[in-house]
Amino acid sequence: MGNSLKAIVAFVPSNRCQKYLLEDLEEMPVDKMVDLSGRQLRRLPLHICSFRELVKLYLSDNNLNHLPPELEQLQNLQILALDFNNFKALPLVVCTLKQLCILYLGNNKLCSLPLELRLLQNLKTLWIESNCLQYLPEVVCELSLLKTLHAGSNALHTLPPQLQCLQELRTIWLSGNLLSEFPPVLLNMPFLEVIDVDRNSIRFFPSLAHLPGLKLVIYDHNPCRNAPKVAKGVRRVGRWSEETPEPRKRSGAVTDITLDEKPLLPPATKTKPE
């Protein structure tokens, strides 16, 4: 009953109805975080944009398809969650939030990303999974501090060569796409620690034994004829993964890679960092 009532109230623009949706959130919380996930929102209550010191804003699982220009006032925002909404295009006002470190855009209807995304030079984590992307927008390759890229469950056929410019990138999730070959650009990214190409159409895997930073490769559910060769100590998840991986040779000597931490598999459902 509560959710049904909120869905009805969401259509009413009066201040009283908006306060109902905000549950009397009249002042910025002490922890500088506002979570309006799952409130049946069809527009962002403008009152939120007055919280100039806000650091975290969660708007997941609503019915949003646009954002007000007043959002630009939140120049201290570091985490913005817009996943599970109805965005067909990323509102340009998001690209004005230059302190953003984490941006969740998954489970929308995005077919592209605007060039203005390059303005988010502090972005370290970008989730664009479960959208309608047929290619990885090259603007992503301009986010120089990006460490984690989740682009799974789209319709990607390949990756742009410019991706190797992201020398801070450590984790890339590409599961559930349309890759017919292992993306060549990843072979030139020795700093990668986690590569996930699960559920694609890759028939042959090149050797990954030359990637010194690699800790985990997930390649399950591909029609492959071989397992990727990896250095000793690198964890593989997929067919033939129980076979002994190739040791990494350096200057004629064999060096084992020891992991300080056992890498984790990607979660079944996304858990947002605090």
Side-chain angles (χ1 to χ4, degrees):
M1 182 66 179
N3 285 337
S4 299
L5 181 58
K6 286 181 179 179
I8 297 173
V9 172
F11 280 101
V12 184
S14 72
N15 290 335
R16 186 174 181 180
C17 289
Q18 292 301 302
K19 285 186 177 180
Y20 172 77
L21 292 173
L22 292 174
E23 297 182 353
D24 295 324
L25 182 61
E26 296 182 0
E27 297 182 358
M28 188 181 70
V30 177
D31 60 4
K32 300 181 179 181
M33 179 185 77
V34 169
D35 188 351
L36 296 177
S37 301
R39 301 291 185 93
Q40 306 292 326
L41 296 176
R42 295 181 180 273
R43 65 185 184 91
L44 177 65
L46 291 181
H47 184 57
I48 296 300
C49 300
S50 67
F51 298 161
R52 302 290 183 92
E53 301 301 317
L54 198 66
V55 173
K56 305 173 185 178
L57 178 57
Y58 297 99
L59 300 172
S60 307
D61 194 19
N62 281 293
N63 296 305
L64 300 172
N65 57 27
H66 70 282
L67 294 172
E70 289 83 356
L71 189 72
E72 186 177 2
Q73 299 175 29
L74 303 182
Q75 284 300 312
N76 291 296
L77 207 61
Q78 296 180 20
I79 299 177
L80 177 60
L82 300 174
D83 47 330
F84 292 95
N85 276 285
N86 294 316
F87 292 104
K88 294 183 179 180
L90 178 64
L92 293 183
V93 66
V94 173
C95 301
T96 68
L97 305 174
K98 296 183 180 180
Q99 297 304 315
L100 277 183
C101 296
I102 302 175
L103 179 57
Y104 295 104
L105 299 175
N107 290 272
N108 278 285
K109 301 173 183 178
L110 301 174
C111 294
S112 63
L113 294 173
L115 293 177
E116 288 81 357
L117 189 72
R118 62 165 64 105
L119 299 175
L120 302 182
Q121 284 299 308
N122 285 307
L123 206 62
K124 296 181 179 179
T125 299
L126 177 61
W127 291 68
I128 50 175
E129 80 286 2
S130 299
N131 276 286
C132 305
L133 298 170
Q134 296 185 14
Y135 63 93
L136 183 68
E138 292 184 7
V139 67
V140 172
C141 305
E142 299 184 44
L143 303 174
S144 59
L145 296 184
L146 200 65
K147 290 189 174 182
T148 299
L149 175 60
H150 195 324
S153 299
N154 279 285
L156 303 180
H157 289 84
T158 186
L159 298 179
Q162 296 90 330
L163 192 69
Q164 63 184 308
C165 296
L166 297 182
Q167 297 191 13
E168 296 298 321
L169 194 65
R170 298 294 180 267
T171 302
I172 185 166
W173 309 105
L174 299 167
S175 62
N177 276 287
L178 300 175
L179 300 173
S180 59
E181 66 172 346
F182 186 83
V185 66
L186 299 184
L187 300 175
N188 299 320
M189 302 178 70
F191 33 80
L192 283 176
E193 296 180 358
V194 178
I195 298 174
D196 178 11
V197 289
D198 182 35
R199 293 185 294 114
N200 277 278
S201 301
I202 301 173
R203 295 185 175 277
F204 175 78
F205 280 94
S207 173
L208 306 180
H210 67 288
L211 300 179
L214 194 61
K215 296 180 180 179
L216 170 65
V217 56
I218 306 171
Y219 64 95
D220 209 7
H221 304 101
N222 279 282
C224 52
R225 303 188 301 270
N226 69 312
K229 293 182 178 180
V230 295
K232 187 175 182 180
V234 178
R235 186 180 179 192
R236 297 182 299 182
V237 178
R239 191 178 181 187
W240 308 295
S241 61
E242 69 279 359
E243 295 181 6
T244 304
E246 293 292 319
R248 177 162 56 93
K249 296 182 179 181
R250 180 178 296 170
S251 301
V254 176
T255 304
D256 290 347
I257 294 180
T258 57
L259 301 184
D260 296 332
E261 245 177 60
K262 185 178 181 181
L264 299 176
L265 298 181
T269 57
K270 171 163 53 63
T271 301
K272 294 184 175 65
E274 290 299 326

